Amino acid sequence: MITLPVLIPLLGATVYATVGWRRGTAWVSAICSAGLLGVAIAIAVDIARSGPREFGGLVRVDALSAFMLIVVGAVAMLATLAAPGHLETEIRLGRASARTAARHSLLVQLFLATMACAVLAANLGLLWVAIEATTIVTAFLVGQRRTRAAIEAAWKYVVICSTGIALALLGTLLLNYASSRAPSRAGLDLAALAGAHGLDPGVTRIAIALLLLGFGAKAGLAPLHAWLPDAHSQAPAPVSALMSGVLLSVAFYAILRIKVVADAVLGAGFARWLLAVMAIASLAVAASLLLAQQDYKRMLAYSSIEHLGLVALGAAIGGPIAIAAILLHILGHGLAKGVLFVGAGRMLQLTGTSRIDGVRGLLARAPVLASCVGLGVLALIGLPPFSVFASELGIVRAGFASPLGWVTALALTLVLVAAAALTGHTSGMLLGPAPDGPSAAVARPRLLPVPTAFALAGGLTVAAVLGVAAPGLSTLLRLAAEVLTR
């Protein structure tokens, strides 16, 4: 059963490769995502009862892997449920064709398969290969519209992420070198490395730094973050939802695995301070650029840098409370950002512009869409009852009780600045009277497709429920935190 999260999306990709995109296959992607989520939940229940599972020495599932599979499945369900309505509107507006929709759906399924493979990898080498595969697949999705801006964003994404992945490859080779000469001879097996001893500290220190910087680039962390705003703003809305809600988190999953090795070999201090510096740099970049942002899709992208910076801070703090909090934050952020990027794609189709000052009075023009976007922003900035409030509270509490108290205070200030910027920009788009004149008379459908409305409402509802009570998930979070803190 543990290989099904990879096989199910591959089956969906096969359908689109052979049959194409038409009325009968438009929902195959959503069905596969539902299957992926169902299998992920079943695996999580099994792991909670029976412990980790392994298959063939290359695949291993523990509580952390099971939780990340649930994140992948949940955000994928949201994005693929909204995708048919998005693609049908793009075809109607002349910006896509049935062939484009088929290629899009095929690549999305391959994207989900590579991310599932990454979180199931028992070996650091296989984890690296899977994350590199996500770069190749998503590059075509970022450039799907084939405009000059989209192609430029795709190339920027490939160049910067490939640089990061090259650094991670060098770090992997160095870690393998150190491991092969240690008494434990753990190789690149992640579980064995977590308990390895006798590794050369000098070589390991260089390897860990390269791995954190390399995978940090794919997670959108400073200093190699510049690809993210361009890629997320140019990708189709469902793809942006997956990239922001899942891809960044899967890359950070690799960092969490690496940190366990670093703490075992070098002690907690080295990775802690490196991650803390990356976290504060990412928060500072995001907060400063959000203040003067003029494009709402780029605004959401910079918000992703902010939230991954906060996750990096929680990882630097360490301990069961902080780790459980960042895992809950990963899920809550994925749901909220999925809702917002799907909503932003619909706003672009409705208004014809991605400029913040080009959207006014949306609540009067499209009340359901505007309400979902407004609630999504409230979820994103961490207002109760949404889960981001609970996760941020957990990170801050753990931070003030740790040696990183002053870093936590600085991070909290930057988070408040980012929240104020997001609130100000969003309120300007949603509130006020609907505009008059030619700009308001765009002949585009104003009603949300029912599946899209269901995806937006469902994502917000789950994010709110997780912030109030989730007994089963609490157990899984505790077990996942134990994997990273034992």
Side-chain angles (χ1 to χ4, degrees), residues 241-471:
L242 287 171
M243 292 180 72
S244 183
V246 187
L247 177 60
L248 304 183
S249 301
V250 169
F252 199 86
Y253 163 86
I255 291 177
L256 291 174
R257 294 290 191 184
I258 296 302
K259 184 178 182 295
V260 175
V261 179
D263 291 349
V265 178
L266 305 172
F270 181 74
R272 168 181 288 171
W273 287 106
L274 185 55
L275 282 172
V277 170
M278 294 171 70
I280 292 299
S282 301
L283 287 166
V285 167
S288 59
L289 292 175
L290 276 170
L291 288 171
Q293 193 50 239
Q294 298 178 340
D295 184 293
Y296 53 80
K297 290 193 74 177
R298 293 178 71 89
M299 175 186 75
L300 296 177
Y302 282 116
S303 170
S304 297
I305 297 176
E306 174 218 345
H307 281 272
L308 266 293
L310 194 57
V311 170
L313 176 63
I317 293 166
I321 295 176
I323 297 300
I326 66 171
L327 294 177
L328 178 61
H329 196 87
I330 283 172
L331 179 55
H333 169 259
L335 291 169
K337 198 56 68 66
V339 167
L340 286 170
F341 267 114
V342 169
R346 192 62 184 176
M347 286 167 57
L348 180 60
Q349 291 175 338
L350 175 64
T351 64
T353 179
S354 63
R355 288 186 60 86
I356 293 173
D357 58 10
V359 181
R360 289 293 181 266
L362 190 66
L363 193 60
R365 302 168 64 186
V368 175
L369 173 61
S371 299
C372 290
V373 170
L375 289 172
V377 169
L378 294 180
L380 197 61
I381 65 175
L383 289 187
F386 296 105
S387 61
V388 173
F389 169 77
S391 59
E392 288 184 348
L393 181 61
I395 293 171
V396 170
R397 286 181 58 191
F400 282 126
S402 75
L404 297 179
W406 67 271
V407 178
T408 304
L410 177 57
L412 184 58
T413 302
L414 293 170
V415 167
L416 291 174
V417 171
L422 276 169
T423 305
H425 292 319
T426 306
S427 61
M429 291 190 292
L430 302 186
L431 302 179
D436 297 322
S439 62
V442 182
R444 291 181 171 87
R446 298 189 178 190
L447 294 178
L448 274 175
V450 173
T452 302
F454 182 79
L456 297 178
L460 291 170
T461 301
V462 174
V465 170
L466 291 176
V468 177

Side-chain angles (χ1 to χ4, degrees), residues 32-193:
C32 290
S33 296
L36 172 59
L37 179 58
V39 169
I41 293 172
I43 289 174
V45 172
D46 181 61
I47 295 300
R49 291 175 178 172
S50 308
R53 302 277 187 179
E54 190 169 334
F55 179 77
L58 292 177
V59 175
R60 183 183 297 112
V61 185
D62 55 19
L64 178 60
S65 301
F67 176 80
M68 290 303 301
L69 283 175
I70 290 175
V71 174
V72 173
V75 181
M77 186 69 200
L78 191 159
T80 55
L81 197 58
H86 176 85
L87 291 171
E88 286 172 3
T89 303
E90 291 293 295
I91 292 172
R92 190 161 54 245
L93 295 174
R95 294 199 292 251
S97 63
R99 184 177 179 181
T100 305
R103 183 170 59 248
H104 168 99
S105 302
L106 167 65
L107 291 171
V108 164
Q109 292 302 301
L110 292 177
F111 183 24
L112 295 177
T114 55
M115 289 191 291
C117 182
V119 300
L120 290 172
N123 182 284
L124 180 58
L126 180 58
L127 175 59
W128 181 89
V129 170
I131 290 182
E132 171 63 9
T134 65
T135 304
I136 297 171
V137 173
T138 48
F140 293 101
L141 288 167
V142 170
Q144 177 176 302
R145 295 178 63 183
R146 298 189 179 183
T147 62
R148 180 174 180 176
I151 294 173
E152 180 181 336
W155 276 109
K156 191 173 183 178
Y157 169 59
V158 169
V159 170
I160 296 178
C161 284
S162 295
T163 301
I165 291 297
L167 293 175
L169 175 60
L170 182 56
T172 301
L173 295 175
L174 287 174
L175 189 60
N176 184 60
Y177 172 84
S179 176
S180 65
R181 281 157 177 74
S184 57
R185 294 192 177 275
L188 291 176
D189 185 272
L190 290 168
L193 281 170

Side-chain angles (χ1 to χ4, degrees), residues 8-32:
I8 290 173
L10 290 179
L11 177 62
T14 303
V15 170
Y16 286 113
T18 55
V19 180
W21 194 87
R22 57 191 68 182
R23 186 176 297 274
T25 61
W27 298 101
V28 168
S29 194
I31 293 170
C32 290

